[in-house]
Amino acid sequence: MGGTLYGQQALQEDFVPRLVGLHPTHAYQVPFAYPRGAPLVRIVGGRGSGKTALLGAVHDAYNGRVPLARVDLGAPGFGEPGVAELSDDEVPNASHITHLLYLLAYKLGLDVRHFGRLMAFPRLSLGLLVVTAWRPLNSDETDVRPPDLRRAEADLRTFITAEDPDVRRRRESLGRWFDVVSDNLPQVLSAVPGLDSIAGIVLDTARQQLLKSEPDKGALAWWGGRLHSSQGYQGDSLQRLFQFVRGFRRLDDRRRTAERHLVAALLDDVDANYGRLRRLNKKPRPLLLLDNAHTDVGRTFLGLLDAGWDAPGKDPTRPVTLATLLGRGEGHPPLGEAGGDAVPQDRPLVLGIPAVGPADIAEMLSRVDYPDHLPRVVARFSGGRAAAARILADAAVRRVQETGTIRSRELLDDAGPALLAKLLPDPVLRDRLVLLSAAADAGTRRGLWTFAHPEDHSGDLVAARVREADDYRTRSCLDGDRALDLLLRHRLAATMTHERWRDTQLRLRSLCDPRGDTYLHHTLALGRVDEVVCVLHHRFTVTPPAEWLTALNVICAAPHPREGYEPPAGSPALSCTACGSDVPGPHHEAVASLVPLLWRLSDPLTLAPREDELTTVRIALETLYGNKAAHGPYREASAAWPARLRAGTQAPDLPVQEGAAS
């Protein structure tokens, strides 16, 4: 069933088979989880979380066993080889939805061994035919079509608009028109090059419906009933069908209404393929696998599916539809909740892809004898994303196999560029975010851009550059993502000389309020530890404990330069104003112990802290507590922080007791 999936086996191996009604690897049927019809399933996860891999596994399990269509709604031509992308410019006889419906009807209609009669889409093919090939009278488009097509259309229009047409002669005229359309499909489908061969197969069904059915029977009758006289449609079913194209060509809300009719035709065609015998035999259901459904066309199509999914008074057979969307999976029930006997009742059903866990990472690394700290580094930089963890693990395994050892910095140097490219595919905006990662808050981002790009003189231009990068990160659902922040900062440090690092941090510090935490954050990034210690000791005497510990968190999360960096020459030896003498007191010593140690342990490449380092943290915080009731947060931190540090938590995420007296 494809590559290894992490945290998704319940959906892949249990829930999907109960939706389809067929075991994923064996030929026997399984009971339907939803005998009265399955919901449309949305699967939400970030980039690299495993959404596409999941669809690939389901595709591999059922391809050639049930009618199946897999499309990538974010790829040119929906990922179909040879089919061009539809232009974003509106065209009268095509839209992204009709483009998609052609592909779905074609793929679902392919021969499937042991499934029985091929699935047919007469309702949909009729709708697509008139939308694609029929030109209403008085169209303001320039007519460059072949003369024979124009003549056949003019002849047919005579019968379509007649109040009491001769049915036999109308059918003959339909046949001639359809033959000419088929002979000129490349011109008819000029808006979507490469679709003519697929469309020809789909439209062959329409020919049979037009030439063999009476206007009030079969698929034509469906359209006649769908297009009510109250909506402005007149005449028999065939005449209403040919009037339908006017709404589609309006390029306004009427086009969306027309697309709703077309999607309803798809769904009712699927249902019609499941007659009494197939239902009694519990024939497996077809599969629609829709990747990247968060795109504009994906959201539109899912909305149209939702609108047509339920049918009053009956339990229609719907295709099993799995749609993946870019988003934050943690905000939804995890995929595992759909396994076992669980039958979620939400409609539509939205499930989140879970983060990979320690056991998953250990499995990825199991080919080599890896150092104990390596899984923690992989977890920290992958952010719980399966593909990100796999990239890191594969790079680590390769290096261990080649050299017998692995250093965390070397691993990130090797895998970091590929990992960032996976999360942020746009190279221009990715490089922009790497630079801006040095800024600790929004207030310094534009100043940093101006420092790095002095050629951008306009303030508006600078603001636009920064906003574009931030918007790109937001669209990628990576706002506030700690793992991405770490990757960006590592990449920044890797691409900077020591001199450039120093100049950048000095520039950022100059943009900050000297009394603020961000100023000290950049001061520590410069390596000026004593300066930070003196300021924090003074603050200790005048600042509530919870506020002081929060500031310590922010400051000690400062980034680390590359090895070999030397702090810039600073002012003469500092005198701590809080000490009152040249001899440091116990509180100063406690702060002086905490700052460099917490800063070092906040380096994402650090190994697990030693027990003596954790003891130092505990003792320093107990010293700051000093048995004072008002200093309760220091006591809470002295108990909590060593355990959290041991478990891998780093600044700025160390817990601070809120609401304590101060």
Side-chain angles (χ1 to χ4, degrees):
M1 293 188 70
T4 302
L5 299 178
Y6 300 96
Q8 304 175 34
Q9 290 85 348
L11 187 89
Q12 172 206 12
E13 298 173 0
D14 181 78
F15 191 52
V16 170
R18 291 192 293 143
L19 296 177
V20 176
L22 183 65
H23 191 273
T25 57
H26 297 94
Y28 60 83
Q29 296 177 344
V30 296
F32 288 123
Y34 299 90
R36 295 183 177 274
L40 193 160
V41 182
R42 289 169 165 86
I43 300 168
V44 180
R47 281 205 181 108
S49 60
K51 305 184 301 297
T52 300
L54 173 60
L55 292 190
V58 174
H59 174 272
D60 292 347
Y62 290 102
N63 189 32
R65 304 177 67 206
V66 300
L68 183 151
R70 181 185 182 186
V71 293
D72 184 347
L73 299 174
F78 298 127
E80 186 69 15
V83 176
E85 171 71 319
L86 187 67
S87 169
D88 286 336
D89 297 330
E90 296 279 11
V91 293
N93 67 332
S95 71
H96 289 91
I97 296 300
T98 59
H99 184 180
L100 175 60
L101 289 171
Y102 269 118
L103 288 177
L104 295 180
Y106 165 71
K107 291 189 172 190
L108 290 173
L110 294 175
D111 188 20
V112 178
R113 255 189 347 167
H114 308 306
F115 188 78
R117 186 181 68 254
L118 272 63
M119 293 191 72
F121 297 88
R123 298 163 181 80
L124 177 59
S125 62
L126 280 176
L128 290 174
L129 170 66
V130 297
V131 161
T132 301
W134 185 251
R135 177 180 292 212
L137 194 62
N138 301 325
S139 171
D140 58 1
E141 306 163 46
T142 302
D143 199 343
V144 295
R145 298 174 302 164
D148 57 343
L149 180 55
R150 281 180 277 167
R151 283 193 299 269
E153 186 177 275
D155 179 63
L156 178 56
R157 184 174 286 112
T158 301
F159 295 101
I160 294 298
T161 57
E163 292 185 8
D164 188 18
D166 183 312
V167 175
R168 181 184 63 82
R169 293 183 62 191
R170 184 169 72 177
R171 186 177 295 141
E172 292 172 353
S173 181
L174 277 167
R176 288 192 296 272
W177 175 73
F178 193 93
D179 288 341
V180 177
V181 168
S182 298
D183 292 340
N184 293 278
L185 265 183
Q187 292 96 323
V188 173
L189 291 169
S190 59
V192 194
L195 194 61
D196 46 297
S197 60
I198 291 174
I201 295 171
V202 174
L203 296 183
D204 190 54
T205 302
R207 177 189 180 91
Q208 299 171 30
Q209 290 293 315
L210 286 172
L211 303 185
K212 294 182 180 180
S213 298
E214 295 296 331
D216 294 320
K217 294 182 180 179
L220 273 173
W222 184 92
W223 278 104
R226 183 91 185 174
L227 304 173
H228 302 295
S229 57
S230 61
Q231 299 168 337
Y233 295 100
Q234 304 297 326
D236 62 23
S237 296
L238 188 139
Q239 290 170 324
R240 293 184 183 193
L241 175 64
F242 275 81
Q243 294 167 27
F244 163 70
V245 70
R246 286 188 177 276
F248 183 88
R249 289 182 171 235
R250 292 296 184 185
L251 305 183
D252 55 21
D253 290 344
R254 283 167 288 187
R255 167 166 284 198
R256 188 52 43 82
T257 299
E259 290 173 339
R260 187 178 301 117
H261 291 320
L262 291 169
V263 172
L266 168 73
L267 293 174
D268 280 7
D269 277 335
V270 170
D271 182 52
N273 278 279
Y274 284 76
R276 184 170 179 272
L277 188 59
R278 272 186 171 167
R279 292 175 192 268
L280 285 174
N281 291 334
K282 297 185 177 0
K283 202 70 174 176
R285 294 164 177 155
L287 260 170
L288 288 185
L289 304 177
L290 310 174
D291 204 2
N292 291 312
H294 57 274
T295 55
D296 290 343
V297 65
R299 288 194 298 269
T300 298
F301 186 59
L302 290 183
L304 295 172
L305 284 175
D306 284 336
W309 202 260
D310 296 320
K314 65 179 226 175
D315 299 319
T317 298
R318 296 296 187 227
V320 174
T321 304
L322 305 181
T324 65
L325 298 91
L326 179 66
R328 297 184 181 275
E330 62 270 18
H332 305 283
L335 295 182
E337 291 192 6
D341 296 328
V343 182
Q345 297 303 314
D346 294 343
R347 291 175 181 265
L349 177 59
V350 184
L351 300 172
I353 292 185
V356 292
D360 300 321
I361 293 173
E363 180 184 343
M364 296 178 191
L365 296 168
S366 61
R367 287 175 288 161
V368 295
D369 184 14
Y370 55 84
D372 292 340
H373 71 276
L374 190 55
R376 177 176 291 184
V377 173
V378 171
R380 187 173 288 154
F381 282 92
S382 67
R385 290 174 278 266
R390 172 58 70 187
I391 290 172
L392 288 164
D394 287 348
V397 168
R398 244 185 344 263
R399 184 166 280 273
V400 171
Q401 289 173 336
E402 292 170 359
T403 67
T405 186
I406 179 72
R407 296 179 65 216
S408 300
R409 192 176 302 280
E410 294 169 347
L411 170 61
L412 266 295
D413 288 345
D414 287 350
L419 196 45
L420 280 173
K422 178 76 174 177
L423 298 176
L424 302 169
D426 187 310
V428 173
L429 294 174
R430 179 172 67 244
D431 288 346
R432 203 175 292 180
L433 285 169
V434 168
L435 169 65
L436 294 174
S437 69
D441 58 32
T444 56
R445 294 168 74 76
R446 282 185 286 184
L448 174 59
W449 181 266
T450 303
F451 172 69
H453 295 276
E455 69 278 7
D456 289 344
H457 301 294
S458 166
D460 290 342
L461 179 60
V462 171
R465 294 276 192 260
V466 174
R467 185 170 58 253
E468 286 169 359
D470 292 342
D471 289 347
Y472 176 61
R473 180 166 177 167
T474 299
R475 292 195 307 273
S476 301
C477 299
L478 290 167
D479 272 351
D481 189 275
R482 185 59 50 78
L484 177 62
D485 289 336
L486 299 180
L487 284 167
L488 292 170
R489 290 170 186 167
H490 178 86
R491 188 63 188 154
L492 179 69
T495 57
M496 279 188 170
T497 63
H498 291 154
E499 182 180 14
R500 186 65 175 173
W501 173 271
R502 181 199 65 211
D503 292 346
T504 298
Q505 297 298 331
L506 284 170
R507 174 61 174 170
L508 285 167
R509 193 175 77 148
S510 72
L511 298 170
C512 300
D513 182 347
R515 298 165 297 179
D517 298 341
T518 309
Y519 183 91
L520 293 180
H521 175 96
H522 292 296
T523 301
L524 195 55
L526 286 163
R528 294 178 170 175
V529 177
D530 290 345
E531 185 176 339
V532 174
V533 168
C534 288
V535 174
L536 281 177
H537 184 200
H538 172 74
R539 283 197 192 178
F540 169 76
T541 64
V542 295
T543 305
E547 182 180 329
W548 190 91
L549 288 168
T550 299
L552 181 67
N553 249 317
V554 171
I555 294 163
C556 289
H560 292 254
R562 301 287 284 191
E563 293 173 343
Y565 170 82
E566 292 292 336
S571 55
L574 296 170
S575 175
C576 178
T577 58
C579 287
S581 69
D582 293 335
V583 180
H587 289 157
H588 185 99
E589 295 288 359
V591 175
S593 298
L594 277 174
V595 170
L597 182 52
L598 288 178
W599 182 42
R600 187 173 65 77
L601 294 180
S602 76
D603 185 343
L605 297 176
T606 190
L607 305 182
R610 302 190 310 269
E611 287 302 315
D612 63 303
E613 293 172 330
L614 300 179
T615 299
T616 298
V617 171
R618 178 180 58 79
I619 291 174
L621 289 167
E622 287 177 348
T623 301
L624 296 178
Y625 166 52
N627 291 321
K628 292 183 179 180
H631 285 185
Y634 295 121
R635 181 182 58 187
E636 296 293 331
S638 72
W641 284 20
R644 291 295 186 91
L645 290 165
R646 185 184 294 111
T649 302
Q650 297 180 308
D653 298 322
L654 294 167
V656 175
Q657 182 190 34
E658 298 294 338
S662 58

